[in-house]
Amino acid sequence: MSDTISPKERLARKLGGKTSDRPPVICPGGMMNAAIVDVMNATGHTLPDAHHSKELMTELAEDVSRMTGFENFGIPFCMTVEAEVLGSEINYGTLECEPKIQKEKFATAADVVFPEMKAFDDNKRIQAIADTIHALSKKHPDTPVIGSLTGPISTAGSIIDPMTFLKQLRKDKENSHKVIDYVTDCLIHYAGLMAESGVDVISIADPTATGEILGPKMFDEYAVFYLNKLVDAIHKMGKPAIVHICGKMEAVKLSVAQLRSDALSVDAFVSLRDIKNLFPHINTMGNLSTIMLEFEDAEKVKKGTRVLLKNNIDIIAPACGLSTSTPIANINAFTETVKSPQ
Amino acid sequence: MAVSKEELYQKMSDAIVDMDEDLVAELSNEAVAQGLDAFEAIDKGLTPGMERAGQLFEEEEYFVPELLMCADAMNVGIDILKPHIKSDDTKVKRKAIIGVIEGDTHDIGKNLVKLMLETGGFDVIDVGRDIPAAEFVEKAKSEGAELICISTLMTTTMDAMADVITILEEQGIRDKFKVVVGGGPISQGFATKIGADGYSRNAAEAVRLAHKLFEE
């Protein structure tokens, strides 16, 4: 069966709540980075070098899309760029291991120094990401380029010691709001650079902003408020936005429904079918278990994928960050099952 | 008029649940001023408060920020009372090593387990985050720990957890330690697969698991 519409149009239709021939199968990058070891070893375009060079980043993004079958490009390959610009110390990791925050820049919210937005324009990695988006969107007009952001709460928790930060959300609301509001403005600026470079979709993952960590009151006060501020600004740029919420959702189900993103991506143990039934206006995205993708065989993966298809999930994707040691055969079984379900 | 010591302990416990550092400090100082046994004040005042906070966390009445603030309040009390503990009161505690495995720097979960284990009577040595498997083993040996707790939030680093157990086996010392694992992507199935002694879903459950593993 040959596809009648391009991957880019299919994803745009789904994000716009329109009908389509079938759901797209994507992996947005950032927290959900699909640059797995199997791909890099086959092509020699490897991390951590590709975090810094636009040529390598472009080649690796192309390798990933071609070899995994995911119907998009997803960059960057980590969630440390924002914190790097704001001063935290980054460990760029290895081929197998994603970059991480080595040390947060500030001890408390009151200590945070707010640099000029220009710091984002001047950062070498941001420039490489913007150039890569530009190159990919010019070279592949039919494939959507997704730019991934680390959400406001997670970015704030990557520049302030996270244990202190979580307490200050209660104890020092004034400075907490000040920092998160500023961080959100930074993310809007960064999203603007992506939009100018020709990005098709912005995807936001905010793994610190879960109902399990924050509880419903603070999830509303901080996560929903600032994610919506960010999403509204992205909409003003004329781009759709995906939001991924980690963890169990029971405590914050009603709050999550207040998010104004164009699709909601969730963890493996959240029932997207329930979300669809409760909130028909939400475009659902997800949520094949990454544990299944890493440790089970291709037959199990196909079965799991068919369940998502049967439940009419709007956009099919992994449920969370993929392990870099996920076998390519499992990912192929995943993407091929979406493309030709029999 | 001085309150009875039972009332004072109850107030200390309540103040921890209420996350009220100032009140915990005031009450702890009062316990010292009254000449109460400092060990007993911790054991019957502060510890029950933190256990109640852990219970509320498990019931999803409290979340991470609240639990951390209760722990801060408890620590204020401990800092005041500890210097007054008579040395023959300090019973020998079981030692535990806790850390986040190499490749991961997320340590919120590890820190929660650490503070609940301490509340539960363990002497906990925190080796930090992004720690190689071999270092867990070396530290457990040199500290004379009996419990090794390994945490990760990233699926990428799960295999390194198994390495800790492999190293213990290679050195022929696997039976000297109990190894427990936890963190976002970990399940009981994974724990069983790598030969760990246990898995727990959250910090409060981790304490029950640790106690159970050392039951005679």
Side-chain angles (χ1 to χ4, degrees):
Chain A
M1 189 182 84
S2 70
D3 287 336
T4 48
I5 58 177
S6 74
K8 191 183 203 159
E9 194 185 340
R10 186 177 294 114
L11 180 60
R13 290 187 67 87
K14 283 290 184 180
L15 289 171
K18 294 180 196 145
T19 56
S20 176
D21 53 347
R22 63 166 173 83
V25 54
I26 65 168
C27 197
M31 192 193 79
M32 276 191 228
N33 162 42
I36 55 171
V37 170
D38 278 358
V39 168
M40 291 186 279
N41 279 342
T43 65
H45 303 135
T46 52
L47 297 171
D49 295 344
H51 291 303
H52 302 274
S53 136
K54 67 171 178 189
E55 287 80 16
L56 263 180
M57 197 184 288
T58 306
E59 283 168 327
L60 182 54
E62 288 173 329
D63 297 340
V64 167
S65 177
R66 185 182 68 249
M67 292 178 68
T68 61
F70 285 124
E71 300 173 295
N72 69 293
F73 299 112
I75 54 165
F77 307 114
C78 76
M79 46 192 324
T80 58
V81 183
E82 300 86 351
E84 173 181 313
V85 180
L86 297 173
S88 287
E89 190 185 318
I90 310 298
N91 176 331
Y92 293 105
T94 61
L95 181 93
E96 296 89 5
C97 199
E98 291 152 24
K100 60 216 169 195
I101 309 296
Q102 197 63 44
K103 192 165 183 347
E104 296 81 14
K105 171 81 174 173
F106 306 105
T108 73
D111 297 340
V112 174
V113 179
F114 303 97
E116 300 279 322
M117 291 296 157
K118 203 174 150 298
F120 278 80
D121 309 59
D122 294 344
N123 179 276
K124 293 269 180 302
R125 280 218 287 158
I126 300 259
Q127 287 168 2
I129 291 162
D131 288 346
T132 301
I133 288 172
H134 183 76
L136 289 170
S137 63
K138 284 275 167 284
K139 205 170 148 193
H140 307 274
D142 287 340
T143 306
V145 181
I146 302 181
S148 282
L149 301 180
T150 308
I153 311 294
S154 304
T155 301
S158 300
I159 62 170
I160 305 167
D161 173 76
M163 303 302 275
T164 308
F165 171 68
L166 286 171
K167 283 183 276 190
Q168 288 189 310
L169 292 178
R170 263 194 83 122
K171 280 210 281 205
D172 186 357
K173 283 178 185 272
E174 192 190 333
N175 277 310
S176 296
H177 275 291
K178 223 160 134 187
V179 169
I180 302 170
D181 192 53
Y182 163 74
V183 163
T184 308
D185 287 339
C186 292
L187 295 173
I188 291 169
H189 182 79
Y190 178 25
L193 295 175
M194 288 179 163
E196 282 167 26
S197 306
V199 86
D200 294 295
V201 177
I202 304 271
S203 175
I204 308 156
D206 206 348
T208 307
T210 72
E212 285 176 285
I213 294 178
L214 298 180
K217 263 177 77 181
M218 270 182 274
F219 186 84
D220 277 348
E221 179 175 352
Y222 293 105
V224 173
F225 183 83
Y226 290 105
L227 281 168
N228 274 339
K229 180 179 171 178
L230 178 55
V231 166
D232 289 346
I234 292 166
H235 285 160
K236 279 207 186 105
M237 299 167 198
K239 304 292 178 188
I242 295 167
V243 169
H244 177 83
I245 298 290
C246 289
K248 295 196 192 84
M249 219 167 260
E250 284 309 318
V252 293
K253 228 177 211 169
L254 291 170
S255 311
V256 165
Q258 304 304 314
L259 290 169
R260 292 192 282 272
S261 58
D262 303 276
L264 173 70
S265 160
V266 299
D267 245 330
F269 31 72
V270 176
S271 165
L272 279 174
R273 199 169 59 168
D274 286 354
I275 300 263
K276 275 180 87 83
N277 288 338
L278 278 171
F279 311 109
H281 71 282
I282 293 180
N283 293 321
T284 49
M285 170 165 150
N287 66 346
L288 192 73
S289 159
T290 50
I291 310 279
M292 178 188 277
L293 277 166
E294 180 171 13
F295 294 112
E296 302 290 356
D297 59 25
E299 277 313 307
K300 277 255 176 70
V301 169
K302 283 183 195 166
K303 246 189 188 159
T305 312
R306 282 189 203 113
V307 173
L308 295 175
L309 291 169
K310 195 172 139 257
N311 289 336
N312 291 317
I313 305 311
D314 298 296
I315 299 165
I316 311 282
C320 200
L322 283 173
S323 166
T324 52
S325 50
T326 305
I328 186 91
N330 280 0
I331 297 187
N332 287 331
F334 178 38
T335 55
E336 278 158 20
T337 304
V338 178
K339 291 173 189 175
S340 35
Q342 343 16 38
Chain B
M1 195 191 80
V3 293
S4 75
K5 70 175 184 185
E6 282 73 22
E7 277 176 280
L8 185 62
Y9 294 158
Q10 184 61 44
K11 280 185 176 177
M12 288 167 84
S13 169
D14 292 347
I16 286 177
V17 173
D18 292 341
M19 302 168 259
D20 190 338
E21 287 183 27
D22 293 344
L23 187 56
V24 171
E26 192 186 304
L27 296 167
S28 301
N29 282 320
E30 196 178 325
V32 174
Q34 285 190 20
L36 296 178
D37 185 78
F39 180 82
E40 188 183 86
I42 292 175
D43 194 43
K44 299 203 167 139
L46 301 180
T47 305
M50 198 59 212
E51 281 168 359
R52 283 165 62 202
Q55 180 72 32
L56 288 166
F57 178 68
E58 233 185 339
E59 290 165 0
E60 299 194 349
E61 288 293 324
Y62 277 9
F63 293 88
V64 177
E66 289 83 6
L67 192 64
L68 294 176
M69 287 172 70
C70 292
D72 278 0
M74 178 185 69
N75 286 328
V76 166
I78 287 177
D79 286 346
I80 292 168
L81 291 164
K82 217 172 185 177
H84 299 281
I85 293 179
K86 294 178 219 105
S87 58
D88 56 345
D89 277 345
T90 44
K91 58 178 179 191
V92 179
K93 294 176 172 179
R94 281 186 202 281
K95 272 194 181 177
I97 297 283
I98 191 165
V100 178
I101 197 73
E102 184 169 28
D104 192 358
T105 59
H106 299 95
D107 60 357
I108 292 171
K110 181 265 289 173
N111 291 341
L112 295 183
V113 174
K114 180 193 171 195
L115 73 90
M116 291 313 289
L117 276 178
E118 282 172 343
T119 306
F122 283 82
D123 180 4
V124 186
I125 295 140
D126 187 351
V127 293
R129 54 192 200 181
D130 195 15
I131 303 302
E135 206 174 313
F136 273 89
V137 175
E138 285 317 305
K139 200 77 182 169
K141 277 158 57 179
S142 65
E143 291 285 352
E146 296 170 81
L147 177 65
I148 301 175
C149 312
I150 322 167
S151 159
T152 189
L153 202 69
M154 296 165 78
T155 46
T156 306
T157 61
M158 287 164 68
D159 290 344
M161 288 183 146
D163 294 346
V164 175
I165 292 169
T166 312
I167 295 169
L168 291 172
E169 280 165 355
E170 280 167 6
Q171 297 188 5
I173 50 172
R174 174 68 184 89
D175 59 352
K176 287 192 164 52
F177 304 94
K178 302 287 184 194
V179 181
V180 299
V181 292
I186 309 300
S187 63
Q188 180 61 54
F190 176 78
T192 309
K193 191 180 139 201
I194 66 168
D197 296 296
Y199 155 79
S200 68
R201 278 173 305 168
N202 59 46
E205 200 180 291
V207 182
R208 286 198 293 276
L209 169 68
H211 283 307
K212 207 173 121 210
L213 287 174
F214 291 106
E215 266 171 17
E216 299 308 323

